Structure formats: structure tokens, C-alpha cells
Amino acid sequence: MGTMHDVIIVGAGPGGSSTAHYLAKQGLDVVLLDKSEFPRDKTCGDALTPRALNVLDDMGLLGELHSIGQRINGLEIHVSRDTVITAPIPEHAIYPNYMMIVPRLKLDNLILQGAIESGAKFQSPVRVRSIEQNPDGVVIRGDHKGQSITAQARLVILSIGANIKIPLRMGILKKAPTMIKAARGYYEGLAGLNENIQAHFENIPLPGYGWVFPTSQTAANIGAGFWKPFLPWKKPPTSARAVMDDFLSSPALKDMLANAELVSPIKGYPLRIDFATAPTFSDRVLLVGETAGLVSPLTGEGIDLALESGKLAAEYLEVVFRLGDFSSHGLQGYDTLLRDHFQRLFIFSSRIRQIYINPILMNRTVRAAQKFPELKSLLINVMMGESDAANMVDLPVIRKVLFNV
Ligand SMILES: Cc1cc2nc3c(=O)[nH]c(=O)nc-3n(C[C@H](O)[C@H](O)[C@H](O)COP(=O)(O)OP(=O)(O)OC[C@H]3O[C@@H](n4cnc5c(N)ncnc54)[C@H](O)[C@@H]3O)c2cc1C
């Protein structure tokens, strides 16, 4: 079966590659596998929040990002033609005060190359089929160009995004989680773009939103997504594609799209937002990024959380490799670490979605944010993941939204 590696990481998205970078920096023998050859596309809105940029900066990649991405300085929320709020990306003590839009074709390859430069070995296309946990190691079986391959390691990081087949087969996930559905396409020849990203709620079933994320002054990633309706008797839309088609025909996009051209297929993909109840470890296995359910239940953004969880996993494993206990018992501290970082965000973001993103309160919330600058600032900070989401469900905030006082 060959070498016993220290760590095999399955999945070279932002979660897997950031973990590989930080672990390889510690001097560990790290092998990174992906079913795709890189550069590869990943269906996404391509928006990097300030939190994502913070980790990418720590990895030494921020300079290069500026040469391949579009800088974004503000955010617009459009509920209808006359109900719009615009705000700059907030100042923060640690995170940059801007976002970037970087197509995943380029972003994921950049992060992967960084991991390889740090010492991780990359093999692709390797589709992993099974992971067997034994007392003295983990055995991975998969296919490489039609041939079966086997590899072994002391520990496996599973970072395969929203692909739930392996965690279900291993019994780590007990059942399929509820997911968001979203779709996107790339457009060129757009009119009226500026330095802001746009979130739209018109012609969109709530809870859900449409986005326009500029990739240049005249091009953008445009898409839409929806959550399972909060009220059990409300029927969800048939598909993300149908939601996107409705969004594309909304009045707000008419002028923008008048001379535009779709330059990619429109693609849809699910998102896991179930971190609050998701498993994150098992014997000799840690889950990172979206495989741990780490996508914001409020905005659908998960690149930042994938990068942050990769860094946290590597920090935690530095101690585990010193102590040599790879059992569930030795790894459960990783779950505690993740909960300390993200549990409040998930619980309160879900609550915000349930309270505000519905036909009754959506308009009122944005109108109240137009009237009260402190509410607008809080809303934007919470959307960026830079303020405690619990603040949005405080009584004074609810009073402003409901009664305008
Ligand atoms: C339409 C849409 C729009 C989105 N917009 C945004 C956005 O604007 N900003 C944002 O932050 N987030 C966004 N997200 C969420 C974001 O895409 C994910 O949260 C993020 O990609 C998670 O990173 P990851 O590394 O955990 O997983 P992924 O990026 O999904 O990477 C997983 C990797 O695992 C590989 N893999 C899967 N199965 C196997 C296997 N069996 N064997 C080997 N390799 C395997 C895949 O090829 C892939 O490279 C969006 C998602 C969707 C669907």
C-alpha cells in the first residue's frame, strides 16, 4: 500500500488547500487529492468577504489576488426600485475594508499552488470512493484515470464541499441535511455597474436573494438562490434555475442586461448551511469547510469559513500530532474550537433569516435601515460576518423595524 502519510486531504477547494498550506508549513507529510484537474471551475458567486481576504493575506496570497480579481468597496441592497440601501464595506480592526470578486477558476488554483509551494503534494484527478478508519491508520480507495488506487495516512481531512456521499457512507452524517439551492452565470456587456456588489430581493421567492457581483466594470457573476421556506405549508420553488430566470426578468436588471451577453452556461449547485448541528470529526477524520456545514445561513457565503476552518484545523492538529492521539477522543477538541468560533453566527443568522427575510418584514427592515444609520451599519456588519449576529435580534432593533421608533 506504500507510504503512511501524515495527512491525506480529500478536496482541493479553499477548505482543503488552506488546510494543506498550514499543515505543510508545520513540516508534515501532506497529500492533497481532488477529483478534478486544476484549474477547475466551481459553481459560486465568487465573492470574497473581508474575512476571506484576511486568511488569504495570512497565506501570502493577497497581492496576487489583486491582479486577478475585482475590488469591491460597497454593498447595495435592493428590495424594490425605491427601497435601496447602499453602504461602504465597514472598517474593521483586523479585516480589510473591501471585498473582492475572483472567479473560482482562478482563485482555487491560486490557493492550491500556494499549498504546493508550502510543501503539500497534489494528485489529480483522483475521485475518492471510500475511507476506511483502522486503529493504526486510514485507508483511502479511489480511481485515477480509470485505475483503482489506494493510499494511507495517520489522519484524513475531508473537505469535499457539499458532496455528502462519503460522509453518509462512512456514517459520519446520519441523514442528508437541508441545503440551499443556487445558480449563476457570467455576463459581459453590462450597463451601470459600479464599485459595489448588489443583493436583490425583487422577483425572488423569500427567503432567497439574487446577486450581481461585478468581475470587471462591464462584466459580472449574476445568480440567485433560495432557502427552504420557513413556513412548512409554503411550497419551495422548483429549481434554482427557475428562480434565476425570474430574477433576470426583474425590472431592476432590465437596463443592466439590455445589451449583455451570457458567456458561460448557467449552473446550479447546493450549499450546506447545517454547521450548527453537523458532525465535524470522527476517528482519524476531521471535516473542514462546507463538509462541516460551514456556509453562512444568512448570505450563503462559505469561502471565508472554509479558509478559517482550514487554518483552525491545522492549528489544532499541531498539538494532536505532538500527542499522537488520533481517536475521536483526541480530536473532539476541534469540534469545541469550531463551535467557539462559529456556533453563535449560525444560530443567530438562521434566526435573522426567519425573522426578517420574509414578505412581511423585508421591506420594513430595509426602510428602517434607510431611516436609522446605526441599524444600517449593524445590518451590513452582520452580513459581512463582522458583528455578532445576535445584535440583529435585540429588542431595540426589532422595535425600529416594526414601529419605526
Ligand atoms: C451558486 C453558489 C454561489 C455561491 N456564492 C458564494 C460567494 O459568492 N461567496 C462565498 O464565499 N461562497 C459562495 N458559495 C459557497 C462556496 O462555493 C462554498 O462554501 C465553498 O466553495 C466551500 O469551500 P470548500 O473548500 O469547503 O468546498 P469546495 O469549494 O466545494 O471544494 C470541494 C472540492 O472537493 C472535490 N471533491 C468532491 N468530492 C470528491 C471526491 N469524492 N474525491 C475527490 N475530490 C472530491 C471537488 O472537486 C472540489 O474541488 C456559493 C455556492 C454556490 C453553489
Side-chain angles (χ1 to χ4, degrees), residues 315-341:
E315 280 167 13
Y316 184 75
L317 287 177
E318 190 166 12
V319 181
V320 171
F321 270 89
R322 231 180 294 134
L323 300 177
D325 182 359
F326 301 100
S327 67
S328 298
H329 180 73
L331 297 179
Q332 70 186 7
Y334 171 65
D335 187 72
T336 311
L337 195 62
L338 289 187
R339 305 275 159 221
D340 284 352
H341 272 79

PDB file of all heavy atoms in Angstrom, residues 315-341:
ATOM      1  N   GLU A 315      -4.065  24.415  13.109  1.00  0.00           N
ATOM      2  CA  GLU A 315      -3.570  24.823  14.438  1.00  0.00           C
ATOM      3  C   GLU A 315      -3.845  23.718  15.456  1.00  0.00           C
ATOM      4  O   GLU A 315      -3.006  23.374  16.281  1.00  0.00           O
ATOM      5  CB  GLU A 315      -4.261  26.125  14.878  1.00  0.00           C
ATOM      6  CG  GLU A 315      -3.635  27.365  14.238  1.00  0.00           C
ATOM      7  CD  GLU A 315      -4.488  28.622  14.403  1.00  0.00           C
ATOM      8  OE1 GLU A 315      -5.448  28.613  15.218  1.00  0.00           O
ATOM      9  OE2 GLU A 315      -4.207  29.601  13.710  1.00  0.00           O
ATOM     10  N   TYR A 316      -5.037  23.153  15.387  1.00  0.00           N
ATOM     11  CA  TYR A 316      -5.409  22.111  16.342  1.00  0.00           C
ATOM     12  C   TYR A 316      -4.545  20.856  16.144  1.00  0.00           C
ATOM     13  O   TYR A 316      -4.082  20.241  17.106  1.00  0.00           O
ATOM     14  CB  TYR A 316      -6.909  21.780  16.192  1.00  0.00           C
ATOM     15  CG  TYR A 316      -7.373  20.794  17.216  1.00  0.00           C
ATOM     16  CD1 TYR A 316      -7.562  21.176  18.536  1.00  0.00           C
ATOM     17  CD2 TYR A 316      -7.572  19.463  16.879  1.00  0.00           C
ATOM     18  CE1 TYR A 316      -7.951  20.260  19.494  1.00  0.00           C
ATOM     19  CE2 TYR A 316      -7.963  18.540  17.824  1.00  0.00           C
ATOM     20  CZ  TYR A 316      -8.150  18.946  19.130  1.00  0.00           C
ATOM     21  OH  TYR A 316      -8.525  18.042  20.082  1.00  0.00           O
ATOM     22  N   LEU A 317      -4.316  20.520  14.868  1.00  0.00           N
ATOM     23  CA  LEU A 317      -3.579  19.278  14.579  1.00  0.00           C
ATOM     24  C   LEU A 317      -2.114  19.362  14.974  1.00  0.00           C
ATOM     25  O   LEU A 317      -1.474  18.333  15.199  1.00  0.00           O
ATOM     26  CB  LEU A 317      -3.722  18.920  13.096  1.00  0.00           C
ATOM     27  CG  LEU A 317      -5.112  18.388  12.715  1.00  0.00           C
ATOM     28  CD1 LEU A 317      -5.202  18.134  11.217  1.00  0.00           C
ATOM     29  CD2 LEU A 317      -5.446  17.101  13.485  1.00  0.00           C
ATOM     30  N   GLU A 318      -1.590  20.571  15.070  1.00  0.00           N
ATOM     31  CA  GLU A 318      -0.196  20.702  15.509  1.00  0.00           C
ATOM     32  C   GLU A 318      -0.040  20.028  16.877  1.00  0.00           C
ATOM     33  O   GLU A 318       0.915  19.286  17.121  1.00  0.00           O
ATOM     34  CB  GLU A 318       0.194  22.184  15.586  1.00  0.00           C
ATOM     35  CG  GLU A 318       1.668  22.376  15.793  1.00  0.00           C
ATOM     36  CD  GLU A 318       2.119  23.814  15.542  1.00  0.00           C
ATOM     37  OE1 GLU A 318       1.253  24.719  15.419  1.00  0.00           O
ATOM     38  OE2 GLU A 318       3.339  24.013  15.486  1.00  0.00           O
ATOM     39  N   VAL A 319      -1.018  20.236  17.748  1.00  0.00           N
ATOM     40  CA  VAL A 319      -0.977  19.634  19.086  1.00  0.00           C
ATOM     41  C   VAL A 319      -1.258  18.130  18.986  1.00  0.00           C
ATOM     42  O   VAL A 319      -0.594  17.308  19.621  1.00  0.00           O
ATOM     43  CB  VAL A 319      -2.042  20.313  20.003  1.00  0.00           C
ATOM     44  CG1 VAL A 319      -2.009  19.717  21.399  1.00  0.00           C
ATOM     45  CG2 VAL A 319      -1.817  21.816  20.042  1.00  0.00           C
ATOM     46  N   VAL A 320      -2.245  17.754  18.156  1.00  0.00           N
ATOM     47  CA  VAL A 320      -2.618  16.336  18.034  1.00  0.00           C
ATOM     48  C   VAL A 320      -1.421  15.514  17.545  1.00  0.00           C
ATOM     49  O   VAL A 320      -1.153  14.429  18.067  1.00  0.00           O
ATOM     50  CB  VAL A 320      -3.830  16.176  17.075  1.00  0.00           C
ATOM     51  CG1 VAL A 320      -4.095  14.709  16.761  1.00  0.00           C
ATOM     52  CG2 VAL A 320      -5.070  16.814  17.684  1.00  0.00           C
ATOM     53  N   PHE A 321      -0.686  16.042  16.579  1.00  0.00           N
ATOM     54  CA  PHE A 321       0.470  15.287  16.079  1.00  0.00           C
ATOM     55  C   PHE A 321       1.565  15.178  17.141  1.00  0.00           C
ATOM     56  O   PHE A 321       2.307  14.208  17.166  1.00  0.00           O
ATOM     57  CB  PHE A 321       1.002  15.902  14.765  1.00  0.00           C
ATOM     58  CG  PHE A 321       0.335  15.289  13.562  1.00  0.00           C
ATOM     59  CD1 PHE A 321      -0.837  15.820  13.055  1.00  0.00           C
ATOM     60  CD2 PHE A 321       0.845  14.131  12.977  1.00  0.00           C
ATOM     61  CE1 PHE A 321      -1.476  15.233  11.965  1.00  0.00           C
ATOM     62  CE2 PHE A 321       0.210  13.526  11.891  1.00  0.00           C
ATOM     63  CZ  PHE A 321      -0.952  14.083  11.381  1.00  0.00           C
ATOM     64  N   ARG A 322       1.632  16.143  18.027  1.00  0.00           N
ATOM     65  CA  ARG A 322       2.614  16.044  19.117  1.00  0.00           C
ATOM     66  C   ARG A 322       2.190  14.960  20.118  1.00  0.00           C
ATOM     67  O   ARG A 322       2.994  14.181  20.578  1.00  0.00           O
ATOM     68  CB  ARG A 322       2.739  17.397  19.828  1.00  0.00           C
ATOM     69  CG  ARG A 322       4.188  17.828  19.956  1.00  0.00           C
ATOM     70  CD  ARG A 322       4.357  19.156  20.658  1.00  0.00           C
ATOM     71  NE  ARG A 322       3.812  20.279  19.927  1.00  0.00           N
ATOM     72  CZ  ARG A 322       3.047  21.242  20.469  1.00  0.00           C
ATOM     73  NH1 ARG A 322       2.729  21.196  21.746  1.00  0.00           N
ATOM     74  NH2 ARG A 322       2.623  22.244  19.734  1.00  0.00           N
ATOM     75  N   LEU A 323       0.862  14.900  20.405  1.00  0.00           N
ATOM     76  CA  LEU A 323       0.375  13.950  21.407  1.00  0.00           C
ATOM     77  C   LEU A 323       0.142  12.553  20.818  1.00  0.00           C
ATOM     78  O   LEU A 323       0.176  11.556  21.524  1.00  0.00           O
ATOM     79  CB  LEU A 323      -0.926  14.462  22.036  1.00  0.00           C
ATOM     80  CG  LEU A 323      -0.831  15.820  22.756  1.00  0.00           C
ATOM     81  CD1 LEU A 323      -2.196  16.239  23.271  1.00  0.00           C
ATOM     82  CD2 LEU A 323       0.179  15.754  23.915  1.00  0.00           C
ATOM     83  N   GLY A 324      -0.148  12.496  19.522  1.00  0.00           N
ATOM     84  CA  GLY A 324      -0.309  11.199  18.848  1.00  0.00           C
ATOM     85  C   GLY A 324      -1.643  10.509  19.080  1.00  0.00           C
ATOM     86  O   GLY A 324      -1.763   9.319  18.805  1.00  0.00           O
ATOM     87  N   ASP A 325      -2.645  11.215  19.597  1.00  0.00           N
ATOM     88  CA  ASP A 325      -3.963  10.588  19.800  1.00  0.00           C
ATOM     89  C   ASP A 325      -4.921  11.034  18.687  1.00  0.00           C
ATOM     90  O   ASP A 325      -5.463  12.134  18.719  1.00  0.00           O
ATOM     91  CB  ASP A 325      -4.515  10.988  21.177  1.00  0.00           C
ATOM     92  CG  ASP A 325      -5.868  10.323  21.455  1.00  0.00           C
ATOM     93  OD1 ASP A 325      -6.359   9.586  20.580  1.00  0.00           O
ATOM     94  OD2 ASP A 325      -6.429  10.553  22.551  1.00  0.00           O
ATOM     95  N   PHE A 326      -5.134  10.136  17.711  1.00  0.00           N
ATOM     96  CA  PHE A 326      -5.974  10.477  16.559  1.00  0.00           C
ATOM     97  C   PHE A 326      -7.377   9.902  16.696  1.00  0.00           C
ATOM     98  O   PHE A 326      -8.150   9.878  15.742  1.00  0.00           O
ATOM     99  CB  PHE A 326      -5.331   9.955  15.263  1.00  0.00           C
ATOM    100  CG  PHE A 326      -3.955  10.520  15.025  1.00  0.00           C
ATOM    101  CD1 PHE A 326      -2.823   9.780  15.342  1.00  0.00           C
ATOM    102  CD2 PHE A 326      -3.798  11.793  14.507  1.00  0.00           C
ATOM    103  CE1 PHE A 326      -1.553  10.301  15.140  1.00  0.00           C
ATOM    104  CE2 PHE A 326      -2.536  12.325  14.298  1.00  0.00           C
ATOM    105  CZ  PHE A 326      -1.418  11.583  14.619  1.00  0.00           C
ATOM    106  N   SER A 327      -7.714   9.385  17.880  1.00  0.00           N
ATOM    107  CA  SER A 327      -9.055   8.824  18.097  1.00  0.00           C
ATOM    108  C   SER A 327     -10.065   9.974  18.181  1.00  0.00           C
ATOM    109  O   SER A 327      -9.687  11.151  18.299  1.00  0.00           O
ATOM    110  CB  SER A 327      -9.086   8.040  19.408  1.00  0.00           C
ATOM    111  OG  SER A 327      -8.929   8.958  20.487  1.00  0.00           O
ATOM    112  N   SER A 328     -11.344   9.633  18.144  1.00  0.00           N
ATOM    113  CA  SER A 328     -12.394  10.642  18.320  1.00  0.00           C
ATOM    114  C   SER A 328     -12.135  11.459  19.580  1.00  0.00           C
ATOM    115  O   SER A 328     -12.316  12.675  19.597  1.00  0.00           O
ATOM    116  CB  SER A 328     -13.768   9.989  18.503  1.00  0.00           C
ATOM    117  OG  SER A 328     -14.097   9.281  17.403  1.00  0.00           O
ATOM    118  N   HIS A 329     -11.711  10.747  20.634  1.00  0.00           N
ATOM    119  CA  HIS A 329     -11.450  11.417  21.905  1.00  0.00           C
ATOM    120  C   HIS A 329     -10.385  12.515  21.729  1.00  0.00           C
ATOM    121  O   HIS A 329     -10.544  13.644  22.196  1.00  0.00           O
ATOM    122  CB  HIS A 329     -11.013  10.383  22.938  1.00  0.00           C
ATOM    123  CG  HIS A 329     -10.720  10.966  24.272  1.00  0.00           C
ATOM    124  ND1 HIS A 329     -11.701  11.410  25.116  1.00  0.00           N
ATOM    125  CD2 HIS A 329      -9.526  11.216  24.880  1.00  0.00           C
ATOM    126  CE1 HIS A 329     -11.137  11.905  26.201  1.00  0.00           C
ATOM    127  NE2 HIS A 329      -9.832  11.801  26.089  1.00  0.00           N
ATOM    128  N   GLY A 330      -9.316  12.167  20.997  1.00  0.00           N
ATOM    129  CA  GLY A 330      -8.225  13.126  20.789  1.00  0.00           C
ATOM    130  C   GLY A 330      -8.600  14.259  19.845  1.00  0.00           C
ATOM    131  O   GLY A 330      -7.960  15.307  19.846  1.00  0.00           O
ATOM    132  N   LEU A 331      -9.636  14.033  19.023  1.00  0.00           N
ATOM    133  CA  LEU A 331      -9.990  15.040  18.011  1.00  0.00           C
ATOM    134  C   LEU A 331     -11.184  15.906  18.392  1.00  0.00           C
ATOM    135  O   LEU A 331     -11.508  16.868  17.697  1.00  0.00           O
ATOM    136  CB  LEU A 331     -10.273  14.345  16.668  1.00  0.00           C
ATOM    137  CG  LEU A 331      -9.089  13.599  16.034  1.00  0.00           C
ATOM    138  CD1 LEU A 331      -9.510  12.928  14.729  1.00  0.00           C
ATOM    139  CD2 LEU A 331      -7.904  14.524  15.790  1.00  0.00           C
ATOM    140  N   GLN A 332     -11.852  15.559  19.521  1.00  0.00           N
ATOM    141  CA  GLN A 332     -13.107  16.281  19.792  1.00  0.00           C
ATOM    142  C   GLN A 332     -12.886  17.755  20.143  1.00  0.00           C
ATOM    143  O   GLN A 332     -13.787  18.584  19.986  1.00  0.00           O
ATOM    144  CB  GLN A 332     -13.941  15.579  20.858  1.00  0.00           C
ATOM    145  CG  GLN A 332     -13.358  15.651  22.251  1.00  0.00           C
ATOM    146  CD  GLN A 332     -14.168  14.798  23.237  1.00  0.00           C
ATOM    147  OE1 GLN A 332     -15.074  14.072  22.854  1.00  0.00           O
ATOM    148  NE2 GLN A 332     -13.814  14.892  24.499  1.00  0.00           N
ATOM    149  N   GLY A 333     -11.668  18.091  20.556  1.00  0.00           N
ATOM    150  CA  GLY A 333     -11.355  19.493  20.843  1.00  0.00           C
ATOM    151  C   GLY A 333     -11.487  20.368  19.597  1.00  0.00           C
ATOM    152  O   GLY A 333     -11.719  21.583  19.695  1.00  0.00           O
ATOM    153  N   TYR A 334     -11.341  19.765  18.420  1.00  0.00           N
ATOM    154  CA  TYR A 334     -11.511  20.519  17.167  1.00  0.00           C
ATOM    155  C   TYR A 334     -12.957  21.000  17.048  1.00  0.00           C
ATOM    156  O   TYR A 334     -13.218  22.140  16.669  1.00  0.00           O
ATOM    157  CB  TYR A 334     -11.143  19.616  15.986  1.00  0.00           C
ATOM    158  CG  TYR A 334     -11.484  20.188  14.624  1.00  0.00           C
ATOM    159  CD1 TYR A 334     -10.858  21.332  14.130  1.00  0.00           C
ATOM    160  CD2 TYR A 334     -12.446  19.568  13.811  1.00  0.00           C
ATOM    161  CE1 TYR A 334     -11.170  21.840  12.871  1.00  0.00           C
ATOM    162  CE2 TYR A 334     -12.757  20.069  12.552  1.00  0.00           C
ATOM    163  CZ  TYR A 334     -12.121  21.206  12.093  1.00  0.00           C
ATOM    164  OH  TYR A 334     -12.432  21.713  10.854  1.00  0.00           O
ATOM    165  N   ASP A 335     -13.870  20.115  17.425  1.00  0.00           N
ATOM    166  CA  ASP A 335     -15.287  20.497  17.381  1.00  0.00           C
ATOM    167  C   ASP A 335     -15.546  21.667  18.332  1.00  0.00           C
ATOM    168  O   ASP A 335     -16.225  22.635  17.987  1.00  0.00           O
ATOM    169  CB  ASP A 335     -16.161  19.286  17.756  1.00  0.00           C
ATOM    170  CG  ASP A 335     -17.631  19.578  17.571  1.00  0.00           C
ATOM    171  OD1 ASP A 335     -18.072  19.668  16.413  1.00  0.00           O
ATOM    172  OD2 ASP A 335     -18.338  19.770  18.584  1.00  0.00           O
ATOM    173  N   THR A 336     -14.958  21.588  19.530  1.00  0.00           N
ATOM    174  CA  THR A 336     -15.130  22.673  20.507  1.00  0.00           C
ATOM    175  C   THR A 336     -14.591  23.986  19.944  1.00  0.00           C
ATOM    176  O   THR A 336     -15.221  25.047  20.063  1.00  0.00           O
ATOM    177  CB  THR A 336     -14.374  22.320  21.816  1.00  0.00           C
ATOM    178  OG1 THR A 336     -14.729  20.997  22.190  1.00  0.00           O
ATOM    179  CG2 THR A 336     -14.685  23.286  22.931  1.00  0.00           C
ATOM    180  N   LEU A 337     -13.424  23.891  19.298  1.00  0.00           N
ATOM    181  CA  LEU A 337     -12.802  25.085  18.706  1.00  0.00           C
ATOM    182  C   LEU A 337     -13.721  25.696  17.642  1.00  0.00           C
ATOM    183  O   LEU A 337     -13.965  26.919  17.625  1.00  0.00           O
ATOM    184  CB  LEU A 337     -11.484  24.648  18.066  1.00  0.00           C
ATOM    185  CG  LEU A 337     -10.456  25.688  17.668  1.00  0.00           C
ATOM    186  CD1 LEU A 337      -9.967  26.446  18.886  1.00  0.00           C
ATOM    187  CD2 LEU A 337      -9.262  25.006  16.986  1.00  0.00           C
ATOM    188  N   LEU A 338     -14.260  24.843  16.768  1.00  0.00           N
ATOM    189  CA  LEU A 338     -15.166  25.349  15.725  1.00  0.00           C
ATOM    190  C   LEU A 338     -16.418  25.967  16.344  1.00  0.00           C
ATOM    191  O   LEU A 338     -16.878  27.021  15.906  1.00  0.00           O
ATOM    192  CB  LEU A 338     -15.587  24.228  14.771  1.00  0.00           C
ATOM    193  CG  LEU A 338     -14.551  23.670  13.811  1.00  0.00           C
ATOM    194  CD1 LEU A 338     -15.207  22.684  12.842  1.00  0.00           C
ATOM    195  CD2 LEU A 338     -13.855  24.756  13.004  1.00  0.00           C
ATOM    196  N   ARG A 339     -16.976  25.283  17.354  1.00  0.00           N
ATOM    197  CA  ARG A 339     -18.215  25.815  17.988  1.00  0.00           C
ATOM    198  C   ARG A 339     -17.928  27.179  18.615  1.00  0.00           C
ATOM    199  O   ARG A 339     -18.741  28.086  18.532  1.00  0.00           O
ATOM    200  CB  ARG A 339     -18.773  24.865  19.054  1.00  0.00           C
ATOM    201  CG  ARG A 339     -19.046  23.452  18.597  1.00  0.00           C
ATOM    202  CD  ARG A 339     -20.395  23.256  17.960  1.00  0.00           C
ATOM    203  NE  ARG A 339     -20.337  22.046  17.142  1.00  0.00           N
ATOM    204  CZ  ARG A 339     -20.873  21.906  15.943  1.00  0.00           C
ATOM    205  NH1 ARG A 339     -21.556  22.884  15.391  1.00  0.00           N
ATOM    206  NH2 ARG A 339     -20.743  20.803  15.246  1.00  0.00           N
ATOM    207  N   ASP A 340     -16.753  27.320  19.270  1.00  0.00           N
ATOM    208  CA  ASP A 340     -16.394  28.615  19.877  1.00  0.00           C
ATOM    209  C   ASP A 340     -16.380  29.711  18.815  1.00  0.00           C
ATOM    210  O   ASP A 340     -16.775  30.845  19.054  1.00  0.00           O
ATOM    211  CB  ASP A 340     -14.990  28.549  20.509  1.00  0.00           C
ATOM    212  CG  ASP A 340     -15.007  27.796  21.820  1.00  0.00           C
ATOM    213  OD1 ASP A 340     -16.119  27.480  22.290  1.00  0.00           O
ATOM    214  OD2 ASP A 340     -13.921  27.491  22.353  1.00  0.00           O
ATOM    215  N   HIS A 341     -15.896  29.360  17.625  1.00  0.00           N
ATOM    216  CA  HIS A 341     -15.777  30.367  16.567  1.00  0.00           C
ATOM    217  C   HIS A 341     -17.085  30.645  15.838  1.00  0.00           C
ATOM    218  O   HIS A 341     -17.354  31.779  15.460  1.00  0.00           O
ATOM    219  CB  HIS A 341     -14.730  29.924  15.534  1.00  0.00           C
ATOM    220  CG  HIS A 341     -13.353  30.347  15.894  1.00  0.00           C
ATOM    221  ND1 HIS A 341     -12.596  29.676  16.819  1.00  0.00           N
ATOM    222  CD2 HIS A 341     -12.597  31.381  15.477  1.00  0.00           C
ATOM    223  CE1 HIS A 341     -11.441  30.271  16.945  1.00  0.00           C
ATOM    224  NE2 HIS A 341     -11.411  31.309  16.149  1.00  0.00           N
TER     225      HIS A 341
END
